[in-house]
Amino acid sequence: MSKRIVVKVGSNVLTRSDGKLDVTRMSSIVDQIVWLRQHDYQVILVSSGSIASGRNEIHTSRKLDSVEQRQLFSALGQVKLIGLYYDLFREHNVHIGQILTMKESFSTRNEYLNQRSCMMVMLDNGVVPIINENDTISITELMFTDNDELSGLVASMMNAEALIILSNVDGIYDGPPRDSKTKLISEVDYNNDLSEYIQAEKSEFGRGGMITKCNIARKVAEEGIKVIIANGKVDNILIDLATKPKETPHTEFRPNPNSASGIKKWIAHSESFSKGIIHINKKAADALHGENAVSLLMVGVTSIEGNFEEGDIVAIVDADNNKIAIGRSGYSAEEAQALIGKHDVKPMVHYDYLYLE
């Protein structure tokens, strides 16, 4: 059976120092993906680079604001980017398919499953899905943090064996990467916090940084998927990770052996889609954190914020206002409001649709 992996290639890997697209690096990555396919891997590619591709395609008659620049350059650049991928993969007789998505496309279970079905039929027919955020119509509040977040959602949705995040550094270090005393952290458990080691710097051409990568990696690893952060500017990095991982510099987040169900994986990534807040008492919070699998009952609910419908994602906070879970509501806000504190009614959030943080 093929091993399914998601490879995320960041802007700093695909972009030269002058901000233009690095076609030679793109070609190398394509060659490596083809090699992986020939060695029993199913590969899904999440690729940045559309804005870098479009930045030098046109000279505007007036100065554009940041949103206008993003929309124009990504619209121009995505055509060029996918065209380059098409030509590079065609040299190996490999078909590709483009998927442009947005954060809100993951917000409902139906849209989530529709995207999954699309990618599944592509993989089943030997097509490499190439995914990017649809920057032309995404607005700031609804944008992904960067493509690291998108790749984490895709890896979770597609139940991948591994997510490989290619950056312009070898991984996560225990200090400043340029310090000679600094060491690369080669392995870490999914529940380890590495924030003390990470500098709060964003990448030169992307939106995110190593803190984003680390947070996404921990969440995805917690869901049972191995995550690797490695240097995409190193020649043959993907092949080396597959053939000689112990000798290849990288940081690996070891996955949780007790991973969540498919729907809980979706809920785990749905925090930013929350439509309301459910306040609960101490007894209910203790029950959720107990050893037994329990649902959130209406008797433990103390108050409700927001306007949501049955099936929407809601945040759950304890008596000290700490967010302890997210889940799929069994009621509309109006229905739930009328049932606060009631016994013998269906759960506010059923255990099958509840994800503890």
Side-chain angles (χ1 to χ4, degrees):
M1 185 177 178
S2 296
K3 299 179 282 287
R4 183 178 299 157
I5 63 171
V6 174
V7 176
K8 183 266 177 176
V9 186
S11 296
N12 266 357
V13 175
L14 296 177
T15 309
R16 303 184 323 205
S17 58
D18 60 3
K20 295 180 181 179
L21 203 65
D22 188 340
V23 179
T24 303
R25 183 59 54 194
M26 272 185 71
S27 179
S28 170
I29 289 167
V30 167
D31 291 345
Q32 293 175 71
I33 290 173
V34 171
W35 183 94
L36 288 170
R37 283 167 51 89
Q38 292 169 344
H39 289 78
D40 207 26
Y41 286 86
Q42 277 188 341
V43 183
I44 300 168
L45 177 61
V46 177
S47 176
S48 304
S50 63
I51 294 175
S53 299
R55 186 176 280 118
N56 297 296
E57 287 294 300
I58 192 172
H59 295 286
T60 59
S61 58
R62 65 178 178 85
K63 188 174 182 180
L64 304 177
D65 64 32
S66 59
V67 173
E68 289 174 325
Q69 286 184 42
R70 187 167 198 85
Q71 290 176 322
L72 178 61
F73 295 153
S74 63
L76 288 164
Q78 190 63 37
V79 176
K80 183 178 176 181
L81 183 70
I82 205 69
L84 281 168
Y85 274 126
Y86 175 83
D87 290 338
L88 292 168
F89 275 104
R90 186 175 59 174
E91 292 178 9
H92 300 279
N93 296 314
V94 173
H95 294 286
I96 66 166
Q98 176 179 241
I99 298 174
L100 295 177
T101 189
M102 297 186 297
K103 195 168 189 175
E104 61 190 276
S105 299
F106 291 84
S107 65
T108 70
R109 186 68 175 161
N110 282 343
E111 285 184 276
Y112 182 88
L113 293 176
N114 283 340
Q115 288 190 102
R116 187 178 192 279
S117 295
C118 175
M119 293 181 206
M120 284 300 301
V121 74
M122 291 169 74
L123 292 173
D124 290 344
N125 286 276
V127 177
V128 176
I130 300 181
I131 307 166
N132 197 3
E133 182 172 12
N134 192 347
D135 290 311
T136 58
I137 56 177
S138 293
I139 59 174
T140 304
E141 304 87 67
L142 297 176
M143 288 167 68
F144 293 104
T145 307
D146 70 352
N147 272 348
D148 296 318
E149 183 181 5
L150 173 56
S151 67
L153 277 164
V154 171
S156 176
M157 179 174 72
M158 299 305 294
N159 199 26
E161 181 178 295
L163 166 62
I164 302 174
I165 298 176
L166 296 182
S167 183
N168 61 341
V169 293
D170 289 337
I172 297 173
Y173 292 85
D174 61 3
R178 294 178 183 84
D179 190 327
S180 60
K181 297 178 182 178
T182 297
K183 294 182 181 178
L184 182 68
I185 301 172
S186 58
E187 283 190 319
V188 60
D189 284 329
Y190 70 92
N191 54 359
N192 281 14
D193 183 5
L194 298 180
S195 58
E196 63 178 293
Y197 300 124
I198 303 171
Q199 294 176 306
E201 294 177 356
K202 290 188 176 182
S203 61
E204 188 174 357
F205 298 110
R207 292 202 298 277
M210 195 54 73
I211 289 177
T212 301
K213 289 174 176 56
C214 187
N215 289 338
I216 295 297
R218 287 179 63 202
K219 179 173 280 190
V220 174
E222 186 176 358
E223 294 161 13
I225 299 168
K226 178 170 67 176
V227 182
I228 290 171
I229 298 175
N231 194 335
K233 289 189 176 287
V234 171
D235 292 338
N236 294 320
I237 184 65
L238 293 173
I239 296 173
D240 288 348
L241 286 170
T243 57
K244 47 180 182 180
K246 292 189 181 300
E247 304 164 36
T248 305
H250 67 280
T251 298
E252 176 182 323
F253 287 75
R254 289 187 291 260
N256 177 6
N258 303 310
S259 59
S261 66
I263 196 162
K264 287 204 178 196
K265 287 181 180 180
W266 166 62
I267 291 170
H269 285 277
S270 298
E271 180 179 348
S272 58
F273 311 133
S274 174
K275 300 286 182 67
I277 301 174
I278 312 301
H279 294 265
I280 64 174
N281 59 31
K282 185 178 185 305
K283 187 174 181 180
D286 290 343
L288 292 182
H289 283 302
E291 294 182 1
N292 297 324
V294 297
S295 301
L296 174 59
L297 303 179
M298 289 304 309
V299 67
V301 176
T302 56
S303 65
I304 290 169
E305 294 180 44
N307 183 19
F308 52 87
E309 299 298 324
E310 181 180 350
D312 282 345
I313 297 296
V314 292
I316 299 165
V317 301
D318 63 17
D320 297 320
N321 217 33
N322 298 312
K323 185 158 68 66
I324 62 171
I326 52 176
R328 191 178 184 183
S329 176
Y331 296 96
S332 69
E334 186 178 357
E335 291 169 333
Q337 198 76 45
L339 295 172
I340 289 176
K342 299 285 186 182
H343 290 271
D344 301 325
V345 293
K346 73 175 183 179
M348 178 71 221
V349 179
H350 191 277
Y351 172 76
D352 290 344
Y353 305 104
L354 180 70
Y355 182 82
L356 294 174
E357 302 218 312

